[in-house]
Amino acid sequence: SLTSVQTSISYFKLPIDSTPEYEGMLIRDRSWRPLDEPVHDYVLSEFGGRATVVPRVWLTTRVLGKLAFYDFPAYIDGVETAQHSYVHCLLGMSATEPGITGIGRYLTAGAWFESDREASCILPYDLASIVGIDASHVGRAEIELMGRKLKVVGIIDSDRLNVFRDLDGERL
């Protein structure tokens, strides 16, 4: 027997009862499942010449039937702090994100990413304080996540960021 499998993209318009914070188009799965790998390439080829394409990545720790966490230690000037913290989800953003959403206005210390390839992170204020990192440590502090050290280049205001709503009415 023969079987043919074909991947396709479907477009849905969903009305949202909120005023958008920026002009654009958000592409995501309605159930927050991962998109197929070719979607980014398709969006770039279709819209790249007419619009700025800004990808995001959400990485969650899912263990069947359980809630799992990423454990990470923090370092200041190469010395491990006494506190560790745990996160359930990571949000990956590009260097061009502030030009679209204006998210850079929520930074309380440091700066946004200079490049998409740098080994760095921006920590929410509440998480940074748990691991002993404050504004004076930005640029000198690191966290270790999944075996890789990331330099802390900024701290973002968690409360103000949680008020921000994306085009779909959801928090980032």
Side-chain angles (χ1 to χ4, degrees):
S1 71
L2 298 172
T3 302
S4 175
V5 177
Q6 180 177 344
T7 300
S8 64
I9 297 173
S10 300
Y11 294 95
F12 295 95
K13 286 184 179 182
L14 302 173
I16 304 295
D17 292 333
S18 62
T19 304
E21 298 257 353
Y22 62 97
E23 184 177 322
M25 178 172 66
L26 177 64
I27 301 172
R28 72 166 178 87
D29 181 84
R30 290 186 310 172
S31 301
W32 290 97
R33 289 188 307 256
L35 297 174
D36 293 331
E37 284 190 40
V39 170
H40 183 255
D41 293 336
Y42 172 78
V43 170
L44 275 176
S45 69
E46 184 66 28
F47 302 107
R50 297 178 285 163
T52 304
V53 177
V54 181
R56 294 183 195 145
V57 176
W58 288 264
L59 182 61
T60 59
T61 56
R62 296 212 174 161
V63 177
L64 254 136
K66 296 181 182 177
L67 189 60
F69 297 91
Y70 293 110
D71 173 24
F72 67 88
Y75 303 85
I76 299 172
D77 296 326
V79 178
E80 188 171 349
T81 64
Q83 303 89 352
H84 280 228
S85 190
Y86 306 89
V87 292
H88 168 65
C89 185
L90 304 170
L91 171 58
M93 298 180 129
S94 72
T96 53
E97 182 77 35
I100 302 301
T101 60
I103 194 171
R105 69 183 180 262
Y106 300 127
L107 286 170
T108 60
W112 199 260
F113 308 113
E114 292 180 11
S115 129
D116 290 342
R117 299 283 181 196
E118 66 187 79
S120 62
C121 67
I122 295 172
L123 294 179
Y125 174 80
D126 49 359
L127 188 60
S129 61
I130 289 171
V131 295
I133 296 173
D134 63 33
S136 69
H137 301 126
V138 169
R140 300 175 18 231
E142 296 177 307
I143 63 167
E144 187 173 344
L145 193 61
M146 295 185 284
R148 185 172 187 193
K149 285 198 176 174
L150 303 172
K151 180 162 71 169
V152 178
V153 296
I155 296 175
I156 199 159
D157 185 324
S158 312
D159 295 328
R160 289 181 58 214
L161 181 61
N162 284 330
V163 172
F164 178 86
R165 293 290 179 252
D166 207 354
L167 295 178
D168 59 358
E170 300 274 344
R171 293 183 306 163
L172 283 177

